[in-house]
């Protein structure tokens, strides 16, 4: 159950947008929280989830929880890619990968603290 | 694979025909397809343990181990299969993108197999009992046409929906713990420990219905994996393999003994499938009695509910010592599901036989096998 934490500098006037993908052609799903508010959830790939203006999200915590499921007969690799937009750099991909026993599940957490211009 | 098998050969037909049927096996029907591991096929072996490294580290460790074991004589029981593309993770490759892979299946499904043995095949002892006598097989396989697997099969959607519910529960717990100050937003080790805690796992699991819990269990996911293995539409695999004999077991003293090429174009449907095979093989190249064969065949499969049946017809041209012979193999296979994963398999047919070509009755056989279903549209 891997976890990564990041700081992400957002740029005033920009919209902060996040994508999340289950990698390695596996199955799975995501839930995206800003603070404690569930902003989006969905299967396999979530794209273009608008978190709001940079000024509004600065100082808040983004939690992207993703569960990848090893359905592929070809491999036991599972991975997740979270892509942040609206800050520096943009896009900023954050990837995590793991190996699981055949037909196992792995939960990945990506925790991002947004930092504004003035912070 | 057959889990439990019980074979009664010839007995019933011996009684029915009132004559001594030839005591020989009807060849395995699965051979009318591109072998999964061509190196094993060309050697005629079925290794009990096959190493399948999935990361560069495990691959390197496997190679180093073999190098350490090498003491001038080739090891006698190596069996390795590697899919180079899958040695590395591919976090940017989504399920949907992979399903519609098209020509990319050429390198994504490429596998290499390598094996050694000290037997002549099918467990036979080496010539003259020479303990250093070895054979080495090397093979490659790939997919020319991947067939259609559907954009997102139902089981994948269902499993992904269950995974979404599961991960939403975990994410909510973590988000609340961070907001409440019980977890530091920058302490990944603490967050990881929190998500791995039994209480978190139990709470996340409790958010799922019993059906969703079953979907995410290894057995539930395994059923979906089996579904994903099944291809539909136009598909074609190709494999090549070569075997070399090392009379003294030394790597420098080998001679190529066999070469094989398999091509299997197929039209695969949910119920009705047609699979063709083109198979070229050169045998005993290291002797004065070398021969080569060219097989062209077709297998039609119809599967429904608890039943499946297939008809297989293969024409073989064999060239030996300047003479060409022509043989036919025909086989009918019928499967009935008895219970669970247990199937009753009945096979009736005539094998290739150089001595008695086109002699159907003399080579009739009957095979009764309890085990896994033997008739698969795409196998």
């Amino acid at each position: 159950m891997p976890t990564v934490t990041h700081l992400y500098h957002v740029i005033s006037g920009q919209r902060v947008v996040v994508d999340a993908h289950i990698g390695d052609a596996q199955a799975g799903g995501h839930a995206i929280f800003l603070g404690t508010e569930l902003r989006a959830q969905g299967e396999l790939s979530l794209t273009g989830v608008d978190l709001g203006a940079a000024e509004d999200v600065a100082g808040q915590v983004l939690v992207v929880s993703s569960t990848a499921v090893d359905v592929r007969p070809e491999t036991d690799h599972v991975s997740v890619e979270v892509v942040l937009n609206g800050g520096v750099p943009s896009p900023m991909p954050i990837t995590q990968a793991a190996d699981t026993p055949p037909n196992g599940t792995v939960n990945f957490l990506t925790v991002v603290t947004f930092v504004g211009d003035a912070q | 694979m057959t889990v439990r098998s019980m074979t009664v050969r010839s007995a019933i037909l011996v009684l029915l025909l009132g004559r001594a049927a030839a005591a020989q096996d009807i060849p395995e029907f699965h051979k009318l397809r591109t072998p999964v591991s061509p190196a094993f096929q060309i050697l005629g072996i079925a290794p009990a343990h096959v190493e399948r490294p999935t990361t560069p580290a495990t691959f390197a460790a496997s190679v180093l181990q073999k190098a350490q074991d090498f003491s001038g004589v080739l090891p006698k029981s190596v069996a390795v299969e590697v899919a180079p593309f899958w040695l590395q993770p591919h976090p940017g490759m989504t399920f949907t993108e992979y399903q519609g892979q098209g020509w990319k299946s050429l390198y994504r499904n490429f596998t290499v197999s390598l094996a050694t043995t000290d037997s002549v095949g099918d467990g036979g002892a080496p010539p003259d009992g020479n303990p250093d006598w070895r054979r080495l097989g090397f093979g490659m396989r790939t997919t020319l046409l991947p067939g259609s697997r559907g954009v997102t099969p139902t089981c994948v959607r269902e499993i992904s929906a269950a995974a979404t519910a599961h991960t939403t529960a975990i994410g909510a717990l973590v988000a609340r713990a961070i907001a409440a100050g019980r977890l530091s937003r920058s302490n990944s080790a603490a967050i990881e420990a929190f998500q791995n805690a039994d209480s978190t796992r139990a709470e996340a699991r409790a958010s799922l219905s019993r059906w969703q819990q079953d979907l995410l269990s290894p057995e539930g996911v395994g059923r979906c994996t089996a579904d994903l293995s099944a291809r539909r539409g136009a598909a074609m695999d190709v494999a090549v393999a070569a075997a070399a004999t090392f009379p003294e077991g030394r790597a420098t003293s080998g001679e190529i003994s066999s070469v094989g090429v398999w091509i299997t174009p197929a039209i695969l449907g949910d119920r009705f499938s047609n699979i063709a095979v083109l198979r070229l093989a050169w045998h005993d190249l290291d002797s004065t009695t070398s021969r080569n064969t060219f097989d062209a065949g077709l297998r039609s499969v119809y599967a429904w509910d608890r039943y499946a049946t297939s008809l297989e017809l293969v024409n073989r041209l064999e060239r030996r010592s300047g003479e060409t012979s022509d043989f036919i193999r025909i086989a009918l296979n019928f499967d009935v599901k008895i219970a669970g994963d247990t199937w009753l398999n009945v096979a009736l047919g005539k094998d290739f036989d150089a001595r008695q070509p086109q002699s159907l009755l003399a080579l009739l056989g009957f095979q009764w096998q309890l085990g896994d279903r033997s008739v698969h549209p795409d196998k």
Side-chain angles (χ1 to χ4, degrees), chain B residues 244-319:
Chain B
T245 303
F246 299 82
E248 304 304 323
R250 294 194 193 90
T252 53
S253 65
E255 269 191 276
I256 298 290
S257 52
S258 305
V259 175
V261 179
W262 296 260
I263 302 171
T264 47
I267 301 293
L268 305 169
D270 285 331
R271 287 194 168 190
F272 187 58
S273 298
N274 288 292
I275 306 113
V277 66
L278 299 172
R279 188 167 46 201
L280 294 99
W282 292 262
H283 308 277
D284 305 321
L285 294 171
D286 54 346
S287 75
T288 56
T289 58
S290 65
R291 62 190 172 93
N292 56 67
T293 57
F294 172 64
D295 295 343
L298 181 69
R299 185 184 187 204
S300 293
V301 178
Y302 189 77
W304 72 105
D305 299 332
R306 302 165 64 89
Y307 312 97
T309 186
S310 76
L311 178 64
E312 177 181 322
L313 183 67
V314 184
N315 180 221
R316 167 169 291 179
L317 292 176
E318 181 175 285
R319 189 170 176 80

Side-chain angles (χ1 to χ4, degrees), chain A residues 1 24 65 72 77 103 107, chain B residues 86 90 93 99 167 196 225:
Chain A
M1 305 286 190
D24 284 296
S65 182
R72 280 280 160 215
H77 293 312
N103 302 134
N107 199 75
Chain B
W86 292 105
H90 300 278
M93 189 169 64
Q99 287 298 98
T167 209
N196 287 334
T225 299

